[in-house]
Amino acid sequence: MARRFVVLDVFTDRTLSGNPLAVVLDTEGLDGNHMQAITREFNLSETVFILPPQEDENRARLRIFTNSHELPFAGHPTVGAAVLLALRDGVTTSTDFVLEENVGPVACHVNVRGEHSGSATFTVPRIPEIVDAAPMSREACAQALGLDTSDIGFDAYGPVIASAGVPFVCVPLASRSALARISPSAARLISTFGGGADSVYVFCRDEDGEGDFRARMFAANMGIDEDPATGSAAASLAAVLMAGERPGDGFHAFDILQGVEMGRPSLVRLGLKVEGGELIAVTIGGGAVIVSEGVLHV
């Protein structure tokens, strides 16, 4: 059977940067095993499959796979799928709709820019939380990342596990130099971080002023040496920033640069809405550009 697919670069406004995403549009008759096999064929960090919604008022249902397993939620598949669906709907300005994911309904706002690109912002369906405030020592983090202990942490930040549906070990680094010097091995990452979360997300303040933070993400357990842009990790970071930045009531925006060391620069826009000192909503936004279209004969 011929099944249409589209490849987009996500969390960017230009091709050959950001995080590549495959979107399979024709999914009739595919079960989870077929979807997993197709995902391995694309061999990208994630592939998303578009299905009819379970609720008529919603735009579509998404199933999201890495090369090793299905995810309940992920950021760059949500942004990329939302932009693509708006383009296919013929939207020329902006639109709002809800996508169904395994984590729950995800409200999206899409702005279209031309025939092949746009941007999307979605509300994270679960409020992020810190699930383990002291998962491992700074010494263990440094050893796993090939860094010095003095490279781990800044201000009041230390390693924690945070989650907005997918758990990440969030490791703060003292400088951009430390971020660039990371030299992890899969074995060290799995032995140090594999028990508490699937992935490790390292971040530091952006000393160059191009954004607010810079980040890198490694997921040896999922077969990902490094990910160019990770919206679900940025969502988890919201809980960490609540504790470290102590933002007051109102809306707070943070620009996170990722993928620079890979030659795939990406920009993730993280929004925090705070009310009564509590985090009540988190948004993730970014651009997406169509790179190629084709047909799978499976």
Side-chain angles (χ1 to χ4, degrees), residues 44-60:
L44 300 174
S45 60
E46 283 144 355
T47 294
V48 59
F49 296 82
I50 307 293
L51 294 86
Q54 295 177 327
E55 302 294 334
D56 291 342
E57 65 269 21
N58 298 334
R59 176 59 184 84

Side-chain angles (χ1 to χ4, degrees), residues 248-252 272-275:
D249 287 1
F251 183 80
H252 304 269
L272 281 62
K273 185 176 182 181
V274 181
E275 191 174 287

Side-chain angles (χ1 to χ4, degrees), residues 142-230:
Q143 184 177 15
L145 296 169
L147 297 174
D148 297 327
T149 302
S150 60
D151 291 320
I152 308 299
F154 64 86
D155 298 339
Y157 289 98
V160 300
I161 296 177
S163 177
V166 178
F168 291 87
V169 182
C170 297
V171 180
L173 299 184
S175 66
R176 185 180 171 190
S177 169
L179 192 76
R181 285 188 281 108
I182 293 172
S183 58
S185 72
R188 288 203 309 264
L189 289 176
I190 291 171
S191 64
T192 303
F193 301 116
D198 289 330
S199 315
V200 56
Y201 186 67
V202 294
F203 67 98
C204 66
R205 295 199 187 277
D206 187 5
E207 300 155 355
D208 297 334
E210 296 179 46
D212 298 290
F213 295 93
R214 289 185 179 252
R216 299 177 72 178
M217 198 285 279
F218 306 92
N221 280 352
M222 301 194 313
I224 300 172
D225 291 334
E226 183 169 357
D227 198 36
T230 318

Side-chain angles (χ1 to χ4, degrees), residues 53-62 64 72-74 78 97-109 121-127 164 282:
Q54 295 177 327
E55 302 294 334
D56 291 342
E57 65 269 21
N58 298 334
R59 176 59 184 84
R61 179 184 170 214
L62 306 186
I64 302 166
F73 155 73
T78 302
F97 50 65
V98 173
L99 298 176
E100 299 171 358
E101 301 188 21
N102 287 349
V103 75
V106 181
C108 303
H109 176 76
T121 299
F122 66 88
T123 301
V124 177
R126 293 185 186 175
I127 298 298
V282 174

Side-chain angles (χ1 to χ4, degrees), residues 10 17 28 44 54 82 116 118 123 138 144 150 162 174 214 235 240 243 260:
V10 183
S17 60
E28 183 180 358
L44 300 174
Q54 295 177 327
H116 303 289
T123 301
R138 297 189 182 206
S150 60
R214 289 185 179 252
V240 183
V260 175

Side-chain angles (χ1 to χ4, degrees), residues 214-273:
R214 289 185 179 252
R216 299 177 72 178
M217 198 285 279
F218 306 92
N221 280 352
M222 301 194 313
I224 300 172
D225 291 334
E226 183 169 357
D227 198 36
T230 318
S232 53
S236 297
L237 185 66
V240 183
L241 297 182
M242 277 296 296
E245 302 296 296
R246 300 181 181 274
D249 287 1
F251 183 80
H252 304 269
F254 299 92
D255 283 352
I256 303 171
L257 299 174
Q258 190 179 335
V260 175
E261 292 77 10
M262 301 175 63
R264 302 282 307 192
S266 309
L267 176 61
V268 180
R269 299 188 182 278
L270 171 65
L272 281 62
K273 185 176 182 181

